[in-house]
Amino acid sequence: MTVVQIDNYGPWTVTPEPKREADLQVLQAELYADIERLFASKGALAFFCRFDNMFVISNGLTEKDHQEIQQSIRYRYPITISMGIGSGSTAYEAQKIATEALQKFGSSKSSARKEVLAIGNELVNGANSLVQIAHIDINGTTIYTDTKPIYDSYIIVNKVHQILMQELLKRGALVFYAGGDNFISPSNGVSESDFKKIFDSVESTTNVKLKVGIGQGKLAEEAAHLAAKSLDLIRSGKIKNQIHCWVSKSG
Ligand SMILES: Nc1nc2c(ncn2[C@@H]2O[C@H](COP(=O)(O)OP(=O)(O)OP(=O)(O)O)[C@@H](O)[C@H]2O)c(=O)[nH]1
Ligand SMILES: [Mg+2]
């Protein structure tokens, strides 16, 4: 995992006076789109998370790949970004190592820390790389969307996200909102039966049913694509189960 953090962003937003919120929102949305585009072109997958702090599943990328992305942002934005890189057997462990490596270089609010690339442990490449991505989807969202105020359906989606975050964290996995009724989980080590237990817990507290397509590959791009294809098999009724896993042949 790579953590991406805007350098000294808080002070910048209020210097010399508070910047207009709409301009900050545009900067954040454009920065995320750029980060996703730059990383995805190298087979990785980024998540907007907090916007000032983002995550990337970056298996297969080199130090130089990361530096090129930092440079591209520096040339085109009024801010710079620092990054931390970490690897582990779970996504939570990897992001923790990445974060700690970055934090050693100083505060997110320090003007002295600029465009750091902090490497926590080894970068994951080649044979030892495995990415598992779960693409989770709510069943029958359209019923809420078409009958309830949109804000109410948004609250349901957020409640589901909250429970998924808590339950997946117990198993070392992360989960990010991906728009609509979709969540994407970097979930190495989480089994199909774990997902079944988690979904039962979501259903018992919210009455919402879930399905998940799981993909495994060497790079995030491949794993995410297989996860989407798995989900499509469930949606189209070709697979009766609510959980399906697709493992890359090359992996
Ligand atoms: N990010 C993302 N959004 C999607 C994807 N598929 C659908 N959506 C969005 O999610 C919302 C709900 O779509 P669906 O999940 O197909 O609708 P549903 O009524 O829940 O249907 P079922 O899940 O088949 O029960 C729509 O607004 C879509 O725009 C996807 O693969 N990725
Ligand atoms: Mg759905």
Side-chain angles (χ1 to χ4, degrees):
M1 301 283 304
T2 298
V3 297
V4 175
Q5 187 171 80
I6 304 179
D7 290 319
N8 204 21
Y9 186 48
W12 182 83
T13 63
V14 291
T15 307
E17 56 179 354
K19 296 186 169 60
R20 285 193 309 177
E21 187 55 33
D23 289 332
L24 298 175
Q25 292 299 316
V26 170
L27 179 136
Q28 290 172 194
E30 289 185 347
L31 181 65
Y32 167 61
D34 254 327
I35 290 289
E36 185 71 283
R37 193 178 293 120
L38 290 161
F39 274 102
S41 71
K42 298 170 191 287
L45 187 66
F47 304 97
F48 51 76
C49 189
R50 284 175 42 169
F51 287 100
D52 60 343
N53 289 266
M54 295 182 248
F55 286 114
V56 187
I57 306 175
S58 58
N59 297 50
L61 270 65
T62 62
E63 213 174 318
K64 186 162 170 284
D65 288 328
H66 285 82
Q67 284 161 346
E68 281 170 10
I69 293 170
Q70 288 179 307
Q71 186 187 59
S72 172
I73 298 301
R74 171 172 23 103
Y75 285 165
R76 295 179 297 115
Y77 282 82
I79 48 84
T80 56
I81 50 170
S82 285
M83 296 183 188
I85 308 173
S87 56
S89 56
T90 67
Y92 183 82
E93 186 190 341
Q95 66 80 35
K96 186 168 182 282
I97 290 167
T99 306
E100 285 167 358
L102 179 58
Q103 286 168 344
K104 282 191 188 130
F105 282 83
S107 171
S108 56
K109 250 187 177 176
S110 157
S111 59
R113 195 204 74 184
K114 201 170 171 186
E115 211 174 277
V116 160
L117 181 59
I119 300 182
N121 51 2
E122 74 271 34
L123 275 67
V124 177
N125 226 316
N128 64 344
S129 178
L130 171 69
V131 180
Q132 175 175 304
I133 287 181
H135 189 147
I136 302 167
D137 181 283
I138 297 178
N139 286 356
T141 306
T142 310
I143 298 164
Y144 311 119
T145 312
D146 293 349
T147 58
K148 286 181 181 285
I150 297 299
Y151 195 75
D152 295 30
S153 64
Y154 178 59
I155 290 174
I156 294 170
V157 168
N158 267 283
K159 275 192 185 147
V160 170
H161 189 195
Q162 191 70 41
I163 302 170
L164 285 174
M165 282 173 106
Q166 283 166 8
E167 294 299 317
L168 283 162
L169 186 60
K170 290 178 192 164
R171 292 150 174 101
L174 315 176
V175 59
F176 300 102
Y177 181 49
D181 66 347
N182 292 251
F183 308 95
I184 297 185
S185 174
S187 51
N188 282 36
V190 184
S191 67
E192 292 187 36
S193 70
D194 288 331
F195 276 108
K196 171 90 181 65
K197 281 184 211 135
I198 293 169
F199 289 1
D200 287 347
S201 148
V202 170
E203 193 180 339
S204 67
T205 36
T206 63
N207 239 353
V208 168
K209 285 195 171 64
L210 299 170
K211 55 186 163 311
V212 59
I214 305 166
Q216 288 183 357
K218 282 195 187 307
L219 302 183
E221 177 189 45
E222 187 185 23
H225 187 57
L226 293 178
K229 279 170 72 169
S230 295
L231 189 60
D232 193 52
L233 286 179
I234 301 170
R235 273 196 177 126
S236 65
K238 285 183 189 135
I239 293 224
K240 294 288 169 238
N241 235 337
Q242 291 297 90
I243 300 172
H244 181 63
C245 182
W246 198 323
V247 180
S248 159
K249 289 200 176 65
S250 65

